Amino acid sequence: MERYRADLLLTMSGDQSPIPDGVVDVDGGRVVWSGPASGAPDRGDATVHRIDGILMPGMVNIHCHTPMVLLRGAGEGLPVDRWLHEVMWPREGRLTPEDVRVGMQAGAAELLANGITTSVEMYFHGDAVARGAAGAGLRCLVTAPVIEDAQLDRFGTWEGQLEEMVATRERWASNDLIEVGLGPHAAYSLSDECLRRIAEIASETGMLVHIHVAEQEWEDSAVRGRSGMSAPAYLESLGLLEGRALAAHAVWMSDDDIETLARNGVAVAHCPCSNSKHGSGVARVLDLTEAGVRVGLGTDGPASHHRLDLFEEMRMAIRLARQKAGDAGVLPAQQALHMATAGAADCIDRADLGRLAPGSRADMVQVSASEPALHPVIPGEDDPVARVVWSGSPRAVRSVWVGGRQVVEDGRVISIDTSSVRSEMVRRARRLAG
């Protein structure tokens, strides 16, 4: 039994109020008790860890392409359609499984150092993604993309891609860190036949369907030209929204589209920094949440948005929502932190993540008490959640645990040899760049 006693505890569970002098008890990789130290049960046999500063749940990144650290910075200034076809897909067509494993492991170290303990990944060679994440100690929901494009024909037919993802799910079924889902790229990039088959597999297996939806304005006309419907309506007609579904971006949404997502229980991965970088538009986050749609935060890939930083995403989400609404009171800090922790976990139907409550995974982050940006603390005026959201950064992350196993200590990743992994990543990135 391990007991973690912190100056301040954010459980993101129950009423989500900060708990001064809080305790989290961990056994077998799960939380067995959390709350104020004054009410903690007697654990005479527990090893006690004193946590200076804030202890909070590990953050959950619900839309990412982490192995794109290999392509970071390429195609700067291009809109998404040109960026994909002119820069990304030609390089990705040269990827090997070992490239992806190394890129994922290097990126996983970055995610962990930034306080992100779970990432929902959409990238080629799904088994290599899983190996890279697990090797670094990162929890990961792997959804390799299914795509039909001549530039990417080396990944095989869509039928073969789907067969491989189902096989990958079976290979990793017993691994505590890895879950495998389905990653159809988008409504505009796949055939009706392929999308229908994905819907069938999802229905048969319960696998999460993770798909880009309405990221760019031109997507609507592309899908309507083929189907006569918007992307959400089209996906609904094919049965793709009936099970566990996660829509990435969801920027160009009509009222009817939002109602379609809400009616089907589809969750949305909001990626405000990536959307801003590519000039894709501003998602209607307030309208989505008001309609009852679950919304969490994603960094997107480190090629489309250079940083794997959910602190930055929280602030950008708030700023864009307030700018769009013309109201400084909307999307408060508490809601933004929820979207990066428990709310994000709920988007992927993982109530055991993103919170520190009995039964949840012991995925935890220590935020330093000495980080200058988190000071001064004025008694009677302090809002710890606002401090974390507005002033927190990867620099403030001191320690991280995944399933009770420490993977970051004193701000340094200890689960892998980061120096050698990053050197190998740079070598491979240069080869892909030609």
Side-chain angles (χ1 to χ4, degrees), residues 39-323:
D42 181 23
R43 308 279 194 199
D45 59 340
T47 301
V48 179
H49 305 269
R50 190 69 180 86
I51 306 297
D52 297 329
I54 297 170
L55 186 65
M56 59 177 277
M59 290 184 282
V60 179
N61 182 8
I62 62 167
H63 179 63
C64 201
H65 318 282
T66 293
M68 291 177 87
V69 293
L70 295 161
L71 311 174
R72 181 179 260 151
E76 169 64 27
L78 293 177
V80 171
D81 53 343
R82 290 186 57 200
W83 175 78
L84 285 173
H85 288 92
E86 296 175 20
V87 182
M88 293 296 111
W89 288 353
R91 295 190 188 191
E92 289 175 327
R94 297 193 287 271
L95 284 168
T96 67
E98 191 61 9
D99 290 334
V100 172
R101 186 196 66 79
V102 171
M104 185 66 218
Q105 195 164 61
E110 190 173 336
L111 289 163
L112 291 168
N114 293 354
I116 296 167
T117 53
T118 298
S119 191
V120 181
E121 295 290 336
M122 180 191 286
Y123 211 62
F124 305 101
H125 298 302
D127 189 73
V129 173
R131 287 188 285 117
L138 176 75
R139 200 177 299 283
C140 191
L141 203 170
V142 180
T143 64
V146 182
I147 194 164
E148 297 174 88
D149 189 277
Q151 291 178 294
L152 300 170
D153 59 4
R154 70 182 300 268
F155 293 108
T157 65
W158 63 260
E159 294 95 339
Q161 293 174 56
L162 284 174
E163 288 173 6
E164 173 57 23
M165 283 314 295
V166 173
T168 300
R169 176 176 180 259
E170 294 171 356
R171 282 195 295 271
W172 290 89
S174 62
N175 189 283
D176 184 59
L177 292 176
I178 304 298
E179 181 184 351
V180 178
L182 299 162
H185 177 260
Y188 69 86
S189 56
L190 292 167
S191 64
D192 291 10
E193 184 183 8
C194 175
L195 290 168
R196 285 196 182 93
R197 180 58 187 143
I198 290 169
E200 291 171 359
I201 294 173
S203 177
E204 294 164 1
T205 63
M207 296 169 77
L208 176 81
V209 174
H210 176 203
I211 182 170
H212 297 96
V213 176
E215 179 179 2
Q216 295 277 305
E217 188 173 14
W218 57 262
E219 288 183 36
D220 187 67
S221 58
V223 177
R224 285 184 188 277
R226 186 169 100 190
S227 68
M229 294 177 275
S230 70
Y234 172 57
L235 294 172
E236 181 184 43
S237 74
L238 298 174
L240 212 72
L241 306 184
E242 292 179 2
R244 299 169 63 200
L246 176 64
H249 300 286
V251 175
W252 294 92
M253 307 286 288
S254 68
D255 290 347
D256 286 344
D257 292 334
I258 291 174
E259 198 279 327
T260 296
L261 298 190
R263 183 174 64 249
N264 287 278
V266 177
V268 165
H270 179 36
C271 305
C273 289
S274 172
N275 294 341
S276 300
K277 182 177 187 288
H278 285 299
S280 300
V282 180
R284 298 172 59 186
V285 172
L286 300 178
D287 295 330
L288 286 161
T289 55
E290 185 177 346
V293 176
R294 294 165 293 159
V295 180
L297 292 175
T299 61
D300 208 355
S304 55
H305 169 51
H306 295 227
R307 296 177 60 80
L308 298 170
D309 181 355
L310 281 178
F311 290 102
E312 186 176 9
E313 300 294 339
M314 287 191 283
R315 290 189 284 272
M316 183 63 80
I318 295 171
R319 292 177 183 130
L320 292 178
R322 292 181 180 181
Q323 187 74 12

